[in-house]
Amino acid sequence: MFPVNTVLIAMYGATAGEVGILRCEASTNQAVCGIFPNTKILPEFLYYFFLNHKAALVAQAAGNAQPNISQQKIRNTEIPLPSIPEQKRIVAILDQAFADIEQARAKTEQNLKNTRELMNVAFNDAITGKLTKVWREANQKVVTASELLKQLKAQKKDLVNEKKISKEKVLPELSKEKVSYDLPESWVWCSLGEIGNATNYPFVDGPFGSSINTKTDYLEDGVPVLRMVNVKPFVFKNYNLKYVAEDKYQQFTRHNVLPGDVLFSKVGAGTGESCVVPEDFSYGMLSTTGITRIRVGQIVLNQYLCCFLNLNIKKFMVLASKAAQPFLNMTQIKTFPFPLPPIEEQSEIVIILERLSVEIQQVEAIYQQKILALDELKKSILKKAFSGELTKTPDNETSKGAAA
């Protein structure tokens, strides 16, 4: 059992070198080294010393995968040993400095959080019509969303009659209970499944898992196969790709992915996350049923759709979590209520959001840099404390020796 004021040092793993002081009696496992300070050294002084010495201690650690600091290396560490009054002065200065830094860091982190929240507010205003209220007042002669939807349905009907596309499954009428707020007069509520382009398979997920043998069909090069790992909120992760041969891809062209498509994760922890496939991506295909590819552009801009989907991640997750493993089927996705603005207004929404995103990223960078500077300030003050620069007084005579 370790007594109060024992200085603890983590010796193994990702937390190797971390330091703490016990404020109550406790026991630990073999991954922690406990140091019992003698009467010549204050526990708080010893704590700050090892906090400053962490990088040097970790640098001596053995092991490739996980750092491993031996207790012997800790025992052999030389510690500067000022007088007790001098130690008290150093600890008092460090306590105050660290408290001030932590306060400044907390304020900066809150400012960073508030800045990020501004983007969420803008996204919410974008899909409710608040963001473009002024624009709408100045641009009243636009084709309404209701008319756009009517035109798209008529075009799809004509193409079906001409046998150019397959008939889509009829969706149930959107009930008023599913609509959570009122829209501007020129907007309309519809189901997600209604907004896909007048083409075959505007909404499609990947082929069944057994259709692709990951051991034999995946190659080092070829046609990219997109998986859920490639889909993050607003970000297409073009790495860790798998590939199949061109002839294999030709068997699954229904599940193809092209630039401008919207990808939507519908299985697991990433359910609801969405991104737009960038223009510099050539073509590819979906892996399995974990992703839905949505092809829009005629009455819905992909960036506006992506904004809406990511803003509703929590709602999609609640809907999916009714199953043991979070999972959305295609009917749940297609019947999800969607606020459709006129196409010109969508364009204005995207322009405003892109401009705001750039400005917020710039502010975030400033706050993140300030946080890094505060962390560096801590290190600088610690370094000065244990090089004798922090308290230059006649009492600064030190000796070196073991403290425990």
Side-chain angles (χ1 to χ4, degrees):
M1 184 72 72
F2 289 150
V4 174
N5 289 332
T6 299
V7 175
L8 304 178
I9 302 176
M11 297 192 296
Y12 308 142
T15 59
E18 294 290 341
V19 191
I21 299 179
L22 273 181
R23 294 309 186 191
C24 63
E25 288 187 350
S27 58
T28 70
N29 60 19
Q30 67 274 18
V32 177
C33 173
I35 303 175
F36 316 118
N38 59 32
T39 56
K40 295 180 181 180
I41 192 165
L42 298 175
E44 293 78 9
F45 181 83
L46 189 60
Y47 162 79
Y48 279 124
F49 169 79
F50 276 108
L51 200 61
N52 179 60
H53 196 64
K54 176 184 174 181
L57 209 55
V58 172
Q60 301 176 51
N64 296 323
Q66 294 282 0
N68 183 344
I69 303 170
S70 71
Q71 193 175 112
Q72 190 60 46
K73 282 184 168 53
I74 297 172
R75 286 176 178 273
N76 292 341
T77 301
E78 289 190 338
I79 301 171
L81 204 58
S83 65
I84 292 296
E86 176 69 2
Q87 291 180 43
K88 288 181 178 180
R89 279 194 293 271
I90 292 173
V91 168
I93 292 172
L94 289 176
D95 281 347
Q96 185 60 56
F98 274 43
D100 292 343
I101 291 171
E102 283 305 312
Q103 186 177 25
R105 199 180 200 279
K107 288 181 179 178
T108 304
E109 287 177 339
Q110 185 60 50
N111 288 337
L112 182 58
K113 182 181 178 181
N114 293 342
T115 301
R116 288 170 175 163
E117 187 58 33
L118 282 176
M119 200 68 214
N120 290 331
V121 171
F123 285 145
N124 187 70
D125 287 351
I127 67 168
T128 58
K130 295 178 183 178
L131 190 68
T132 43
K133 182 180 179 181
V134 174
W135 181 93
R136 213 164 34 250
E137 291 171 352
N139 297 269
Q140 297 185 15
K141 293 183 179 180
V142 296
V143 179
T144 65
S146 181
E147 183 60 29
L148 285 175
L149 195 60
K150 183 179 177 181
Q151 291 173 6
L152 180 62
K153 288 180 178 178
Q155 184 185 6
K156 288 182 177 180
K157 184 178 180 180
D158 289 342
L159 291 173
V160 168
N161 291 336
E162 295 169 11
K163 300 187 184 302
K164 291 183 178 179
I165 65 172
S166 303
K167 185 177 180 180
E168 294 180 328
K169 182 180 178 180
V170 178
L171 297 173
E173 187 175 341
L174 187 64
S175 64
K176 291 183 179 180
E177 290 75 20
K178 282 193 170 186
V179 174
S180 54
Y181 51 88
D182 294 329
L183 295 175
E185 190 177 346
S186 57
W187 293 36
V188 69
W189 281 105
C190 63
S191 296
L192 269 176
E194 298 179 86
I195 66 173
N197 285 352
T199 183
N200 272 325
Y201 315 119
F203 279 75
V204 71
D205 53 9
F208 288 109
S210 58
S211 303
I212 298 178
N213 188 317
T214 58
K215 293 182 179 180
T216 58
D217 290 331
Y218 279 171
L219 307 174
E220 292 297 319
D221 197 9
V223 179
V225 178
L226 302 180
R227 301 170 296 152
M228 285 183 290
V229 69
N230 304 117
V231 181
K232 296 300 174 185
F234 298 104
V235 180
F236 176 75
K237 295 286 188 179
N238 193 14
Y239 69 89
N240 197 17
L241 293 172
K242 301 298 181 181
Y243 301 89
V244 293
E246 179 68 29
D247 58 348
K248 189 70 177 180
Y249 162 76
Q250 290 299 329
Q251 299 174 32
F252 301 102
T253 52
R254 169 179 173 172
H255 310 279
N256 69 349
V257 175
L258 300 175
D261 285 343
V262 176
L263 302 181
F264 175 79
S265 292
K266 65 188 188 75
V267 178
T271 296
E273 296 179 350
S274 173
C275 69
V276 176
V277 179
E279 291 301 319
D280 59 359
F281 182 82
S282 178
Y283 67 97
M285 65 172 286
L286 301 176
S287 57
T288 60
T289 55
I291 302 175
T292 295
R293 185 263 290 145
I294 309 174
R295 191 157 289 161
V296 294
Q298 287 186 250
I299 68 169
V300 174
L301 298 182
N302 53 16
Q303 293 289 358
Y304 174 75
L305 174 59
C306 186
C307 165
F308 171 79
L309 295 173
N310 284 312
L311 191 61
N312 283 278
I313 287 175
K314 289 183 180 179
K315 290 184 179 180
F316 284 120
M317 183 58 79
V318 169
L319 192 62
S321 294
K322 291 179 180 178
Q325 155 89 334
F327 174 81
L328 290 170
N329 59 47
M330 293 298 284
T331 299
Q332 288 174 310
I333 296 169
K334 288 183 177 182
T335 56
F336 198 85
F338 179 75
L340 178 64
I343 195 77
E344 295 92 344
E345 192 165 349
Q346 292 179 49
S347 181
E348 181 66 14
I349 288 170
V350 170
I351 289 171
I352 294 173
L353 289 177
E354 287 179 344
R355 183 172 64 241
L356 184 60
S357 178
V358 170
E359 292 172 357
I360 285 179
Q361 285 175 17
Q362 291 172 346
V363 176
E364 282 182 343
I366 292 171
Y367 285 135
Q368 287 168 342
Q369 187 58 44
K370 186 174 180 180
I371 290 172
L372 291 175
L374 289 169
D375 291 341
E376 287 301 315
L377 180 58
K378 266 188 173 183
K379 294 177 183 178
S380 174
I381 292 173
L382 278 171
K383 184 177 180 181
K384 287 181 179 180
F386 293 98
S387 63
E389 297 178 44
L390 202 60
T391 55
K392 291 185 177 179
T393 67
D395 191 40
N396 259 64
E397 298 178 2
T398 63
S399 61
K400 291 183 178 181

